[in-house]
Amino acid sequence: MGDADRIAKVGILGSGIMGAGLAEVAARAGYDVVVRSRSRAAATAMVESIDRALTKAVERGKATEEERKEILARITATDHLGALADCDLVIESVVEDLAVKQALFAELEQIVKPTGILATNTSTLPVVELAMVTQRPDQVVGIHFFNPAPAMKLVEVIRPITASDATIATALEFAKSCGKDAVEVADRAGFIVNALLFPYLNNAIRLWEQGTATMEDIDTAMRGGCNFPMGPFALLDLVGLDTSLAILDALYAEFRDPNYAAMPTLRRKVAAGQLGRKTKRGFYEY
Ligand SMILES: NC(=O)c1ccc[n+]([C@@H]2O[C@H](COP(=O)([O-])OP(=O)(O)OC[C@H]3O[C@@H](n4cnc5c(N)ncnc54)[C@H](O)[C@@H]3O)[C@@H](O)[C@H]2O)c1
């Protein structure tokens, strides 16, 4: 049986888009949270960004001023990995690079107390390859949140073949305690959501490359015809074309399914630095 009650303190590694969201989610759920970034300035900036998000929530009547203060009081920012020693759960959310994550897991193994669960927020990487650099592969799991973490309802709990049932159950209970819908998934590239979403996005590019319809009309069709909140090209630009390409490459490397073979336009746009909204130009201009 899992036991989310035994989790009191949660460590978050990485202060990017996802790290900040994860810290907010865990602190809102009542956990003590330590966020660790390589620089103290980045960790402090992250807490400030959480404060801004909470202030907006108060303005919109979604939280009280009292709650804002309580949530912030639960979050500590640090640049010191040793501050994670007494965490019951650590969620790593740094750059999507296996070597970087493996080096961090090897360090965490030395630092975090033996009963601590070590989790990764990876979108595509094999969780077992992180488990195997530790001496506690049974306590390593994927806990995959979606962007933006405070708003998105889903968490995929990834079960590497090394994980114990108790670890998986605790991860599922932790996600539920954060108010999320949790699903359990085997440790395969793309898990559920990205494995199903990315062939669709890739095939939208194929349809456009074949001259079947314009980008605008494909987006209009999928919004109006499937009730999707946004069309595939708008979504690719939002996710980031570099991230999208990395996900497709990981899926193709694992399954060799032609639907996962990234379309040439996607690869060329990434080569040209047209990465979507973040560079103000992707499939659309912003
Ligand atoms: N962006 C998304 O939509 C999304 C959604 C779900 C999961 N994820 C996953 O979350 C993780 C983080 O993604 P993100 O979007 O927050 O990225 P980001 O680029 O916003 O942040 C990356 C973080 O990693 C840190 N970092 C970079 N190199 C490092 C190194 N060598 N050592 C330690 N830290 C380093 C950076 O300082 C930064 O804090 C990735 O594994 C990604 O696949 C992303």
Side-chain angles (χ1 to χ4, degrees):
M1 278 301 290
D3 188 4
D5 288 346
R6 80 172 178 80
I7 295 176
K9 192 166 179 184
V10 178
I12 306 289
L13 269 170
S15 54
I17 315 171
M18 291 306 291
L22 297 186
E24 183 183 332
V25 166
R28 273 177 180 267
Y31 296 102
D32 288 327
V33 177
V34 188
V35 293
R36 187 270 180 178
S37 187
R38 286 173 300 173
S39 82
R40 188 176 290 270
T44 306
M46 176 168 156
V47 176
E48 285 165 4
S49 85
I50 296 171
D51 189 10
R52 281 195 297 278
L54 291 171
T55 302
K56 267 195 205 147
V58 172
E59 283 164 9
R60 281 192 258 110
K62 303 235 162 154
T64 65
E65 178 57 22
E66 197 60 24
E67 283 168 336
R68 184 188 75 85
K69 284 188 186 146
E70 279 173 18
I71 293 165
L72 279 177
R74 284 189 211 115
I75 307 176
T76 316
T78 183
D79 56 0
H80 179 48
L81 210 53
L84 301 173
D86 61 345
C87 285
D88 306 292
L89 169 68
V90 174
I91 308 177
E92 164 283 310
S93 190
V94 306
V95 65
E96 188 77 339
D97 179 313
L98 184 61
V100 170
K101 288 184 191 285
Q102 281 180 319
L104 264 179
F105 270 70
E107 277 191 272
L108 289 173
E109 170 61 33
Q110 303 298 320
I111 288 165
V112 179
K113 64 182 179 185
T115 52
I117 291 177
L118 306 181
T120 175
N121 185 38
T122 181
S123 304
T124 45
L125 298 171
V127 180
V128 70
E129 297 203 29
L130 301 177
M132 293 310 289
V133 301
T134 75
Q135 302 298 313
R136 59 182 101 178
D138 56 318
Q139 287 162 235
V140 175
V141 60
I143 304 184
H144 183 217
F145 283 81
F146 289 77
N147 181 18
M152 299 294 276
K153 204 62 185 129
L154 183 69
V155 168
E156 291 177 325
V157 170
I158 318 307
R159 180 194 280 268
I161 53 177
T162 43
S164 70
D165 289 345
T167 297
I168 299 302
T170 300
L172 287 165
E173 284 169 26
F174 168 76
K176 287 178 196 157
S177 75
C178 293
K180 304 300 182 189
D181 293 332
V183 294
E184 184 185 325
V185 198
D187 186 16
R188 307 269 186 281
F191 314 131
I192 297 174
V193 172
N194 288 337
L196 290 176
L197 177 63
F198 274 85
Y200 152 69
L201 296 176
N202 199 35
N203 278 309
I205 307 172
R206 188 192 314 275
L207 215 60
W208 171 72
E209 283 192 0
Q210 289 169 341
T212 306
T214 63
M215 261 177 234
E216 290 80 358
D217 282 356
I218 293 171
D219 274 2
T220 301
M222 295 313 291
R223 284 197 312 272
C226 291
N227 223 5
F228 288 178
M230 62 178 81
F233 292 98
L235 183 54
L236 282 159
D237 278 353
L238 181 74
V239 171
L241 303 194
D242 51 343
T243 305
S244 299
L245 180 60
I247 291 172
L248 280 166
D249 283 347
L251 283 163
Y252 188 74
E254 179 116 310
F255 298 111
R256 304 282 156 184
D257 177 333
N259 286 297
Y260 292 136
M263 294 306 292
T265 304
L266 180 64
R267 208 173 285 285
R268 297 300 173 274
K269 282 194 173 285
V270 172
Q274 297 173 14
L275 306 182
R277 279 178 184 268
K278 58 187 163 188
T279 58
K280 309 227 178 305
R281 186 167 180 193
F283 283 102
Y284 296 113
E285 285 186 31
Y286 298 89

